[in-house]
Amino acid sequence: MDVRGLILTKLGENVRMLRERKHISQERLTLEASLERTYISQVERGKRNVSLVNLCRLAYVLQVPPASLVEGIEWVAEEEDH
């Protein structure tokens, strides 16, 4: 898996873990965050890159600081072919 995929997968795992810990369904999260259910599903599966605004919406509904959604993510620079 590439670096982008690893980052998005970890973000998705964090969102799902926090959502489940708070006993919030995907449907409730989508309604309260004003996002589409398919979007949330894609985020949780690491298939969607999340904007900062949407990251903050999710954090607000989950009642956590936005930084907690990216906890455990470390940047590893990809080598670029010149």
Side-chain angles (χ1 to χ4, degrees):
M1 185 179 296
D2 65 353
V3 173
R4 181 179 188 276
L6 292 171
I7 291 168
L8 296 179
T9 297
K10 182 61 180 168
L11 172 65
E13 290 171 356
N14 289 347
V15 170
R16 178 178 289 141
M17 181 216 30
L18 290 165
R19 178 180 62 75
E20 290 176 347
R21 188 179 290 168
K22 300 217 179 250
H23 305 288
I24 297 173
S25 66
Q26 276 189 351
E27 185 173 346
R28 179 175 161 208
L29 181 58
T30 60
L31 290 172
E32 293 186 25
S34 298
L35 298 168
E36 295 291 325
R37 186 164 185 274
T38 55
Y39 180 85
I40 297 297
S41 175
Q42 290 172 341
V43 168
E44 288 188 355
R45 290 183 290 122
K47 303 296 182 192
R48 179 64 75 113
N49 196 359
V50 179
S51 72
L52 180 57
V53 170
N54 288 343
L55 187 85
C56 290
R57 285 179 177 182
L58 293 169
Y60 177 78
V61 174
L62 295 169
Q63 299 176 328
V64 296
S68 67
L69 298 179
V70 296
E71 191 171 308
I73 296 173
E74 295 187 29
W75 179 255
V76 178
E78 293 180 288
E79 290 186 27
E80 294 183 38
D81 292 328
H82 295 285

